[in-house]
């Protein structure tokens, strides 16, 4: 008798290629464009002071600063407007970088400024010494641009 032919094997399917992994994106943070003027700083905290008097704008900024640092009313009342704007911009920027309002309440405005200087130096390439010579608002502006902004 004739040998029975071997059955033709079924073709082996090609394995499904593994999907190409999608790289994990670098986490982003909000970056702000601060300009001189209480309204140009507080708008980034969702506070609209347009149409208010200069004194009312200043007071809104002082209230914001009191609610975001361990310093009291007299401390901020003793500052000029640009210093108060800088403190507000520092708090807003630190919150964008992971600090909670609760954490900021434990820090004085000077401690917040120093924290901002260290962080800005790390991402901007500017020296700590140079940043220490700058107004706080300028430091916050630098922390919200270039290599500090992602």
């Amino acid at each position: 008798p004739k040998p029975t032919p071997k059955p033709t094997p079924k073709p082996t399917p090609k394995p499904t290629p593994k999907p190409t992994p999608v790289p994990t994106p670098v986490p982003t943070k909000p970056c702000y464009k601060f300009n001189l003027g209480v309204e140009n700083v507080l708008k980034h905290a969702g506070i609209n002071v347009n149409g208010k008097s200069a004194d009312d704008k200043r007071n809104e900024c002082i209230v914001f600063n009191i609610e975001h640092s361990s310093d009291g009313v007299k401390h901020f009342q003793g500052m000029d407007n640009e210093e108060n704007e800088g403190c507000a911009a520092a708090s807003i920027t630190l919150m964008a970088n992971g600090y909670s309002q609760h954490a900021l309440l434990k820090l004085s405005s000077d401690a917040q400024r120093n924290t901002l200087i260290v962080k800005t130096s790390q991402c901007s390439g500017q020296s700590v010494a140079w940043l220490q010579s700058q107004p706080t608002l300028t430091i916050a502006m630098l922390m919200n641009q270039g290599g500090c902004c992602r």
Side-chain angles (χ1 to χ4, degrees):
K2 287 186 171 182
T4 46
K6 290 184 176 175
T8 308
K10 291 184 179 177
T12 307
K14 289 185 179 178
T16 306
K18 289 184 178 177
T20 306
V22 177
T24 304
V26 174
T28 58
K29 67 176 187 80
C31 287
Y32 304 106
K33 183 157 178 52
F34 292 114
N35 292 302
L36 197 56
V38 173
E39 60 279 354
N40 296 319
V41 173
L42 290 184
K43 72 179 180 184
H44 297 296
I47 300 170
N48 183 352
V49 293
N50 289 329
K52 292 190 176 188
S53 71
D55 280 346
D56 285 346
K57 288 177 183 181
R58 175 178 167 77
N59 288 334
E60 286 274 352
C61 193
I62 289 172
V63 168
F64 178 85
N65 288 337
I66 292 165
E67 293 174 347
H68 292 86
S69 90
S70 64
D71 295 313
V73 176
K74 287 188 188 309
H75 176 77
F76 293 110
Q77 285 177 336
M79 292 182 168
D80 66 24
N81 282 357
E82 186 177 344
E83 290 172 307
N84 268 297
E85 292 163 22
C87 289
S91 295
I92 292 165
T93 301
L94 288 171
M95 286 190 290
N97 282 274
Y99 287 75
S100 67
Q101 182 178 356
H102 180 74
L104 293 180
L105 281 168
K106 295 177 182 178
L107 298 174
S108 67
S109 57
D110 284 343
Q112 289 184 31
R113 174 183 159 82
N114 289 335
T115 301
L116 190 64
I117 286 170
V118 170
K119 288 189 156 304
T120 305
S121 176
Q122 291 169 345
C123 61
S124 71
Q126 296 292 342
S127 72
V128 168
W130 182 82
L131 289 166
Q132 286 172 331
S133 73
Q134 300 302 305
T136 306
L137 185 60
T138 300
I139 301 164
M141 288 174 176
L142 289 169
M143 187 64 189
N144 283 282
Q145 64 188 17
C148 296
C149 212
R150 49 176 161 45

